[in-house]
Amino acid sequence: MCAPYTPSYTYPYLVGVLDHLGSTGVDRPALAREALGKLFELCTLCTALTDTQHPACALSQIPPTPYPNPTRLLACSAPFLMGRVKGILKRFVEDDTHTGQCPLPKQRLEEVSFVFAELKKLNLPPSVFPTHTQHTQ
């Protein structure tokens, strides 16, 4: 997690490191899973810190934030997370289609199960995603 004194301009770099580590799935599946889990955790924590109505805040599971800008950190981390999830699910569908009757490796099934379980818990505000008009400008 970022230290309280970490300037917000470093957030994209720090989140990019997690994203890069998450792409090592074939070579180092445990490292990729841990990095993906940290991206989910980061988005969940930042959502809770920016939304006092979030269930984690209501249950007092989240202490007061030392982070200067959790909204900025969430805006940096959510697109990386969604890109990683999109890639995992896309590869899974492609591999499942191409393997036919052969089952996919257990590790791939566990990875997709993990993604769906984490997505189910995630509650990102729409404001962290760029709108269509922002993409076209």
Side-chain angles (χ1 to χ4, degrees), residues 61-104:
Q61 294 175 353
I62 305 293
T65 179
Y67 305 105
N69 198 339
T71 303
R72 170 97 167 99
L73 186 52
L74 180 61
C76 289
S77 56
F80 278 103
L81 176 63
M82 292 299 106
R84 179 68 44 218
V85 166
K86 179 182 175 183
I88 289 169
L89 296 178
K90 183 178 178 182
R91 283 190 308 277
F92 178 79
V93 170
E94 289 170 353
D95 291 350
D96 189 46
T97 303
H98 290 105
T99 58
Q101 296 296 330
C102 297
L104 290 172

Side-chain angles (χ1 to χ4, degrees), residues 1-4 6 14 18 38 41-43 45-46 49 66-67 73:
M1 196 59 78
C2 300
T6 303
L14 297 172
L18 280 176
K38 290 299 179 189
E41 185 179 324
L42 186 61
C43 286
L45 176 64
C46 288
L49 294 174
Y67 305 105
L73 186 52

Side-chain angles (χ1 to χ4, degrees), residues 7-29:
S8 63
Y9 66 83
T10 62
Y11 293 168
Y13 171 75
L14 297 172
V15 174
V17 169
L18 280 176
D19 183 57
H20 175 72
L21 293 174
S23 68
T24 62
V26 176
D27 300 329
R28 298 187 207 156

